[in-house]
Amino acid sequence: MCMSLKCVLFTPYRLSDNKFRDDGVKFLCSALKHPECKIHTLCLQQTGLTDRACSYLGPALRENKSLRSLLLSYNRLEGPHFGDLVAALSSPPCQLEELDLSSTSLTDTSCSPLALGIRNNQSLKILSLSYNHLTGPYFGDMMEALSSPSCTVEQLMLQEILLEDEHLPLLVPLSNNKNLTYLELNHNNLTGASTAHLRELILQSPSLKEICLYFNHRLPREDRRSLLELRAQKPGLEISID
């Protein structure tokens, strides 16, 4: 093995925007398992990965104790091996704090394995799931895991995941997450029927510091105004609505 990979002392390690693909990840993961590996951030955005790469990344995360940030956006990770990646979140050696899965072609069938990984994880703080089609029968499994009082996720990005009014009751229990400080719901399909649920989430959450609702154009103007007025009841809370 190349010594520069074996003793990985660089951080972050950027391989984004190239044709690294699954076979390249397979080679890299052998280095991630090495006890001398010191990689802190691994950037693999837009590198032609499929779910097969998850079958290599999962076992590596189970052994690696240094990696804190894994960025995988703009790949195609939906498939039978995606569960191998998120199951690694349950492994005690895994200390991942940031996982970027935005625009990775995930559907709601990925929500159940994600829920299991989140439920048994004690380190994840930043989770981006934006630009995936997550809403469906299994979406509630993931929201239940994220709503646990023991969930460590502090920043949750759910931009453009096809949220409709009917899904908002599943988000209200996020107020039980005592660590959640930032919630991004931009570019979804929320209307005035969601306003009461958004109010409940905002008012009941003990830790929420910022909620972003940009580009939900079907929210009536008066509902946007009423949501902005909640800032008077929650000093220090930022509510962003265009």
Side-chain angles (χ1 to χ4, degrees):
M1 180 187 301
C2 173
M3 183 59 66
S4 63
L5 280 178
K6 183 177 179 180
C7 294
V8 204
L9 296 175
F10 29 69
T11 179
Y13 192 55
R14 295 186 175 93
L15 293 166
S16 301
D17 301 310
N18 61 46
K19 297 181 180 180
F20 198 63
R21 302 190 187 280
D22 298 339
D23 289 337
V25 166
K26 183 179 181 180
F27 172 72
L28 175 63
C29 284
S30 63
L32 289 174
K33 294 179 181 179
H34 195 277
E36 295 181 26
C37 177
K38 302 299 181 184
I39 286 181
H40 186 278
T41 299
L42 180 57
C43 306
L44 292 168
Q45 302 105 317
Q46 200 168 332
T47 48
L49 304 185
T50 71
D51 77 293
R52 187 164 66 94
C54 297
S55 66
Y56 307 133
L57 285 166
L61 289 178
R62 289 179 181 275
E63 297 185 33
N64 183 284
K65 297 180 180 180
S66 66
L67 194 64
R68 296 295 182 269
S69 182
L70 179 59
L71 312 180
L72 296 169
S73 57
Y74 298 98
N75 289 294
R76 301 184 63 84
L77 303 183
E78 174 80 5
H81 298 296
F82 176 71
D84 297 338
L85 171 65
V86 291
L89 295 175
S90 302
S91 176
C94 178
Q95 297 297 310
L96 206 64
E97 296 179 0
E98 178 182 12
L99 180 59
D100 182 0
L101 294 170
S102 55
S103 194
T104 48
S105 301
L106 301 181
T107 67
D108 80 295
T109 58
S110 298
C111 290
S112 291
L114 264 169
L116 185 61
I118 293 167
R119 192 173 290 116
N120 296 316
N121 178 272
Q122 295 299 314
S123 63
L124 192 63
K125 296 180 180 179
I126 303 173
L127 177 61
S128 180
L129 296 168
S130 298
Y131 306 108
N132 291 298
H133 296 173
L134 298 179
T135 52
Y138 300 105
F139 179 67
D141 295 343
M142 183 177 69
M143 297 314 301
E144 182 180 357
L146 288 165
S147 300
S148 169
S150 61
C151 180
T152 58
V153 173
E154 299 175 3
Q155 299 179 36
L156 177 60
M157 280 67 85
L158 298 175
Q159 178 167 293
E160 200 168 323
I161 63 165
L162 303 184
L163 277 179
E164 304 278 353
D165 296 327
E166 64 189 85
H167 304 116
L168 262 290
L170 298 173
L171 269 66
V172 173
L174 285 173
S175 60
N176 296 321
N177 181 331
K178 299 177 181 179
N179 295 298
L180 187 66
T181 59
Y182 177 84
L183 178 61
E184 186 175 285
L185 300 175
N186 302 333
H187 286 280
N188 283 295
N189 301 312
L190 308 183
T191 75
S194 295
T195 304
H197 298 301
L198 289 169
R199 288 178 61 90
E200 185 177 359
L201 169 59
I202 291 169
L203 291 175
Q204 291 188 3
S205 176
S207 56
L208 193 63
K209 299 299 182 184
E210 184 173 2
I211 182 169
C212 296
L213 294 160
Y214 287 123
F215 302 109
N216 282 282
H217 294 307
R218 297 168 67 198
L219 270 175
R221 185 178 299 275
E222 58 271 23
D223 290 65
R224 299 182 194 190
R225 188 180 301 114
S226 71
L227 289 170
L228 288 172
E229 289 173 352
L230 296 178
R231 291 178 296 188
Q233 300 180 51
K234 300 274 291 189
L237 174 67
E238 179 65 31
I239 301 175
S240 302
I241 308 178
D242 59 324

